[in-house]
PDB file of all heavy atoms in Angstrom:
ATOM      1  N   GLN A  78     -11.983 -26.807  -8.375  1.00 95.00           N
ATOM      2  CA  GLN A  78     -11.469 -27.513  -7.191  1.00 95.00           C
ATOM      3  C   GLN A  78     -10.929 -28.854  -7.700  1.00 95.00           C
ATOM      4  O   GLN A  78     -11.591 -29.536  -8.468  1.00 95.00           O
ATOM      5  CB  GLN A  78     -12.589 -27.746  -6.191  1.00 95.00           C
ATOM      6  CG  GLN A  78     -13.238 -26.471  -5.686  1.00 95.00           C
ATOM      7  CD  GLN A  78     -12.276 -25.571  -4.944  1.00 95.00           C
ATOM      8  OE1 GLN A  78     -11.514 -26.036  -4.078  1.00 95.00           O
ATOM      9  NE2 GLN A  78     -12.265 -24.286  -5.281  1.00 95.00           N
ATOM     10  N   PHE A  79      -9.754 -29.236  -7.211  1.00 96.00           N
ATOM     11  CA  PHE A  79      -9.125 -30.477  -7.638  1.00 96.00           C
ATOM     12  C   PHE A  79      -8.829 -31.343  -6.431  1.00 96.00           C
ATOM     13  O   PHE A  79      -8.443 -30.856  -5.375  1.00 96.00           O
ATOM     14  CB  PHE A  79      -7.808 -30.151  -8.376  1.00 96.00           C
ATOM     15  CG  PHE A  79      -8.032 -29.344  -9.618  1.00 96.00           C
ATOM     16  CD1 PHE A  79      -7.898 -27.948  -9.564  1.00 96.00           C
ATOM     17  CD2 PHE A  79      -8.387 -29.924 -10.798  1.00 96.00           C
ATOM     18  CE1 PHE A  79      -8.094 -27.174 -10.696  1.00 96.00           C
ATOM     19  CE2 PHE A  79      -8.606 -29.154 -11.937  1.00 96.00           C
ATOM     20  CZ  PHE A  79      -8.457 -27.776 -11.895  1.00 96.00           C
ATOM     21  N   GLU A  80      -9.017 -32.656  -6.607  1.00 95.00           N
ATOM     22  CA  GLU A  80      -8.769 -33.621  -5.542  1.00 95.00           C
ATOM     23  C   GLU A  80      -7.286 -33.818  -5.271  1.00 95.00           C
ATOM     24  O   GLU A  80      -6.885 -34.021  -4.151  1.00 95.00           O
ATOM     25  CB  GLU A  80      -9.411 -34.949  -5.873  1.00 95.00           C
ATOM     26  CG  GLU A  80     -10.930 -34.909  -5.863  1.00 95.00           C
ATOM     27  CD  GLU A  80     -11.559 -36.259  -6.219  1.00 95.00           C
ATOM     28  OE1 GLU A  80     -10.891 -37.303  -6.025  1.00 95.00           O
ATOM     29  OE2 GLU A  80     -12.711 -36.249  -6.672  1.00 95.00           O
ATOM     30  N   ARG A  81      -6.486 -33.769  -6.341  1.00 96.00           N
ATOM     31  CA  ARG A  81      -5.041 -33.983  -6.234  1.00 96.00           C
ATOM     32  C   ARG A  81      -4.331 -32.849  -6.943  1.00 96.00           C
ATOM     33  O   ARG A  81      -4.898 -32.176  -7.798  1.00 96.00           O
ATOM     34  CB  ARG A  81      -4.655 -35.299  -6.883  1.00 96.00           C
ATOM     35  CG  ARG A  81      -5.252 -36.513  -6.220  1.00 96.00           C
ATOM     36  CD  ARG A  81      -4.878 -37.814  -6.894  1.00 96.00           C
ATOM     37  NE  ARG A  81      -3.444 -37.970  -7.033  1.00 96.00           N
ATOM     38  CZ  ARG A  81      -2.842 -38.563  -8.055  1.00 96.00           C
ATOM     39  NH1 ARG A  81      -3.530 -39.043  -9.049  1.00 96.00           N
ATOM     40  NH2 ARG A  81      -1.526 -38.682  -8.080  1.00 96.00           N
ATOM     41  N   SER A  82      -3.063 -32.684  -6.604  1.00 97.00           N
ATOM     42  CA  SER A  82      -2.238 -31.653  -7.247  1.00 97.00           C
ATOM     43  C   SER A  82      -0.842 -32.220  -7.485  1.00 97.00           C
ATOM     44  O   SER A  82       0.057 -32.009  -6.683  1.00 97.00           O
ATOM     45  CB  SER A  82      -2.175 -30.375  -6.401  1.00 97.00           C
ATOM     46  OG  SER A  82      -1.558 -29.352  -7.135  1.00 97.00           O
ATOM     47  N   VAL A  83      -0.700 -32.941  -8.582  1.00 97.00           N
ATOM     48  CA  VAL A  83       0.553 -33.558  -8.964  1.00 97.00           C
ATOM     49  C   VAL A  83       1.370 -32.518  -9.738  1.00 97.00           C
ATOM     50  O   VAL A  83       0.863 -31.893 -10.672  1.00 97.00           O
ATOM     51  CB  VAL A  83       0.325 -34.797  -9.847  1.00 97.00           C
ATOM     52  CG1 VAL A  83       1.625 -35.423 -10.288  1.00 97.00           C
ATOM     53  CG2 VAL A  83      -0.556 -35.811  -9.103  1.00 97.00           C
ATOM     54  N   VAL A  84       2.637 -32.334  -9.362  1.00 98.00           N
ATOM     55  CA  VAL A  84       3.502 -31.386 -10.057  1.00 98.00           C
ATOM     56  C   VAL A  84       3.964 -32.021 -11.374  1.00 98.00           C
ATOM     57  O   VAL A  84       4.453 -33.159 -11.392  1.00 98.00           O
ATOM     58  CB  VAL A  84       4.736 -31.006  -9.204  1.00 98.00           C
ATOM     59  CG1 VAL A  84       5.687 -30.113  -9.989  1.00 98.00           C
ATOM     60  CG2 VAL A  84       4.276 -30.282  -7.924  1.00 98.00           C
ATOM     61  N   VAL A  85       3.794 -31.294 -12.463  1.00 98.00           N
ATOM     62  CA  VAL A  85       4.295 -31.723 -13.777  1.00 98.00           C
ATOM     63  C   VAL A  85       5.061 -30.577 -14.392  1.00 98.00           C
ATOM     64  O   VAL A  85       4.859 -29.417 -14.051  1.00 98.00           O
ATOM     65  CB  VAL A  85       3.157 -32.175 -14.724  1.00 98.00           C
ATOM     66  CG1 VAL A  85       2.524 -33.441 -14.250  1.00 98.00           C
ATOM     67  CG2 VAL A  85       2.122 -31.085 -14.921  1.00 98.00           C
ATOM     68  N   PHE A  86       5.933 -30.922 -15.323  1.00 98.00           N
ATOM     69  CA  PHE A  86       6.738 -29.915 -16.005  1.00 98.00           C
ATOM     70  C   PHE A  86       6.482 -30.013 -17.500  1.00 98.00           C
ATOM     71  O   PHE A  86       6.195 -31.080 -18.052  1.00 98.00           O
ATOM     72  CB  PHE A  86       8.236 -30.145 -15.730  1.00 98.00           C
ATOM     73  CG  PHE A  86       8.555 -30.034 -14.258  1.00 98.00           C
ATOM     74  CD1 PHE A  86       8.617 -31.173 -13.477  1.00 98.00           C
ATOM     75  CD2 PHE A  86       8.791 -28.805 -13.690  1.00 98.00           C
ATOM     76  CE1 PHE A  86       8.911 -31.086 -12.132  1.00 98.00           C
ATOM     77  CE2 PHE A  86       9.068 -28.687 -12.321  1.00 98.00           C
ATOM     78  CZ  PHE A  86       9.132 -29.849 -11.546  1.00 98.00           C
ATOM     79  N   THR A  87       6.608 -28.868 -18.150  1.00 98.00           N
ATOM     80  CA  THR A  87       6.524 -28.786 -19.606  1.00 98.00           C
ATOM     81  C   THR A  87       7.441 -27.659 -20.027  1.00 98.00           C
ATOM     82  O   THR A  87       8.123 -27.058 -19.186  1.00 98.00           O
ATOM     83  CB  THR A  87       5.071 -28.585 -20.087  1.00 98.00           C
ATOM     84  OG1 THR A  87       5.023 -28.712 -21.512  1.00 98.00           O
ATOM     85  CG2 THR A  87       4.512 -27.228 -19.679  1.00 98.00           C
ATOM     86  N   TYR A  88       7.455 -27.364 -21.287  1.00 97.00           N
ATOM     87  CA  TYR A  88       8.313 -26.267 -21.761  1.00 97.00           C
ATOM     88  C   TYR A  88       7.589 -25.409 -22.810  1.00 97.00           C
ATOM     89  O   TYR A  88       6.673 -25.871 -23.467  1.00 97.00           O
ATOM     90  CB  TYR A  88       9.636 -26.814 -22.336  1.00 97.00           C
ATOM     91  CG  TYR A  88       9.458 -27.684 -23.552  1.00 97.00           C
ATOM     92  CD1 TYR A  88       9.513 -27.162 -24.846  1.00 97.00           C
ATOM     93  CD2 TYR A  88       9.235 -29.052 -23.430  1.00 97.00           C
ATOM     94  CE1 TYR A  88       9.367 -27.957 -25.946  1.00 97.00           C
ATOM     95  CE2 TYR A  88       9.082 -29.864 -24.511  1.00 97.00           C
ATOM     96  CZ  TYR A  88       9.141 -29.299 -25.805  1.00 97.00           C
ATOM     97  OH  TYR A  88       8.990 -30.111 -26.897  1.00 97.00           O
ATOM     98  N   GLU A  89       8.052 -24.201 -22.879  1.00 96.00           N
ATOM     99  CA  GLU A  89       7.573 -23.260 -23.878  1.00 96.00           C
ATOM    100  C   GLU A  89       8.812 -22.479 -24.343  1.00 96.00           C
ATOM    101  O   GLU A  89       9.359 -21.713 -23.551  1.00 96.00           O
ATOM    102  CB  GLU A  89       6.527 -22.327 -23.314  1.00 96.00           C
ATOM    103  CG  GLU A  89       5.875 -21.439 -24.341  1.00 96.00           C
ATOM    104  CD  GLU A  89       4.730 -20.629 -23.738  1.00 96.00           C
ATOM    105  OE1 GLU A  89       3.841 -21.210 -23.122  1.00 96.00           O
ATOM    106  OE2 GLU A  89       4.787 -19.394 -23.884  1.00 96.00           O
TER     107      GLU A  89
END
Side-chain angles (χ1 to χ4, degrees):
Q78 302 297 313
F79 299 95
E80 292 179 24
R81 296 178 56 214
S82 188
V83 177
V84 175
V85 291
F86 300 95
T87 189
Y88 63 93
E89 187 175 307

